[in-house]
Amino acid sequence: MRIVLLGPPGAGKGTQAKRICETYGIPHISTGDLFRENMSKDTPLGKKAKEYMAQGLLVPDDLVVDMVEDRLTHEDVLAAGYGYLLDGFPRTVHQAEALCRINAKRDCELDFAINLDVPFDILIERVSGRRICPTCHATYHVKYSKPKVEGVCDLDGTPLYQREDDKVETVKKRIEVYQDQTEPLIEFYEDKQKIININGLQHMKDVFDNIEKILSGVN
Ligand code: AP5
Ligand code: ZN
């Protein structure tokens, strides 16, 4: 199964991606996580990406496309029958066109572009309350998804942290960039009859149930 998850910052892409990938046995490929990994290892790609991410801007298309194309050659993708869930990619029409070309090289097509729809005023509260485990990448929220012990990951006991680009001013910029550069992808995938619109305002479990109803049709 080949899926892309669309939606503004804080729509719940990472939260739903984890559940979908566990259920359907496909690799979760988050371009944001890949950049953060590179940043923590201080690689040349990480250094370059940091300049853009810290300001809430998109990393240039060529860097992102090369990184994704390389990631899609990894064993876990091949073992899943060239299956994947892309979280946060594509984010521009240029990236979406590049993904079409990458799939075509393998004689494959995307199954779905799932768009999580959440009103902009909710996003800031979601993103600014988010806390993340640096060890297993589990995501919590200070109000909507609390860990059992405050500030500590349920799964491995690691102290949680807040992402640097989750400060209110940067989140506002990210939302602006989303409207400008990423929202046009909804129409792009509508034209290709791949779009699935999901109300992301519901409880996390109900969002997942809605997605599962659609995906179970192809499995
Ligand atoms: P990235 O890491 O992809 O961030 P994002 O798209 O801004 O999305 P977020 O991770 O903020 O939110 P999410 O939708 O995953 O929400 P989550 O599930 O965590 O990108 C970061 C940066 O990297 C970009 O700004 C850019 O610079 C760069 N980048 C990445 N990809 C790129 C690309 N393709 N091209 C160029 N640059 C790129 O949920 C948020 C919070 O809400 C959590 O606390 C969660 O617990 C809570 N929550 C989730 N669902 C619900 C619900 N239903 N109800 C209540 N609370 C909920
Ligand atoms: Zn953890």
Side-chain angles (χ1 to χ4, degrees):
M1 196 182 305
R2 287 171 284 279
I3 303 172
V4 303
L5 259 188
L6 302 175
K13 299 184 294 299
T15 304
Q16 297 302 325
K18 249 186 181 306
R19 294 173 191 213
I20 296 168
C21 292
E22 276 163 21
T23 307
Y24 293 95
I26 47 175
H28 175 194
I29 302 176
S30 155
T31 42
D33 284 348
L34 290 174
F35 285 132
R36 282 184 286 278
E37 247 173 69
N38 274 279
M39 276 159 52
S40 70
K41 291 181 188 153
D42 214 17
T43 66
L45 178 62
K47 281 183 190 145
K48 196 92 203 128
K50 194 174 183 175
E51 292 170 26
Y52 299 91
M53 288 171 73
Q55 297 179 66
L57 301 173
L58 294 185
V59 177
D61 283 337
D62 52 340
L63 294 179
V64 191
V65 169
D66 286 353
M67 178 178 77
V68 170
E69 187 158 15
D70 174 70
R71 180 64 184 83
L72 290 177
T73 63
H74 289 199
E75 190 49 46
D76 55 348
V77 176
L78 305 181
Y82 190 60
Y84 55 74
L85 181 147
L86 286 166
D87 162 6
F89 179 94
R91 255 181 160 93
T92 63
V93 171
H94 180 89
Q95 291 179 17
E97 284 166 346
L99 181 61
C100 291
R101 284 195 298 275
I102 295 169
N103 286 335
K105 278 190 207 164
R106 306 234 175 198
D107 268 335
C108 285
E109 262 199 51
L110 190 73
D111 291 302
F112 297 113
I114 299 174
N115 176 43
L116 297 179
D117 192 16
V118 178
F120 292 137
D121 54 336
I122 306 289
L123 300 173
I124 295 185
E125 195 202 359
R126 279 201 189 172
V127 176
S128 55
R130 169 169 51 197
R131 300 292 181 270
I132 300 168
C133 171
T135 305
C136 70
H137 303 294
T139 299
Y140 299 86
H141 191 281
V142 294
K143 203 159 136 193
Y144 304 122
S145 176
K146 293 183 187 176
K148 292 190 187 98
V149 178
E150 198 185 321
V152 176
C153 179
D154 290 346
L155 305 172
D156 46 40
T158 312
L160 304 177
Y161 79 103
Q162 183 172 30
R163 258 166 58 177
E164 232 183 280
D165 61 346
D166 280 354
K167 289 177 203 127
V168 174
E169 279 319 303
T170 319
V171 178
K172 284 185 182 160
K173 183 69 199 168
R174 284 162 57 200
I175 293 173
E176 225 178 274
V177 168
Y178 167 82
Q179 285 178 288
D180 193 38
Q181 301 191 56
T182 309
E183 216 167 33
L185 289 183
I186 298 174
E187 207 179 307
F188 179 93
Y189 285 117
E190 255 164 21
D191 290 347
K192 295 192 179 300
Q193 296 176 334
K194 300 285 184 199
I195 201 87
I196 307 286
N197 285 304
I198 301 279
N199 173 8
L201 201 52
Q202 310 168 83
H203 189 276
M204 292 169 207
K205 187 187 170 305
D206 297 323
V207 175
F208 180 66
D209 287 348
N210 280 198
I211 295 174
E212 206 183 9
K213 266 187 210 141
I214 290 158
L215 297 188
S216 56
V218 277
N219 216 19

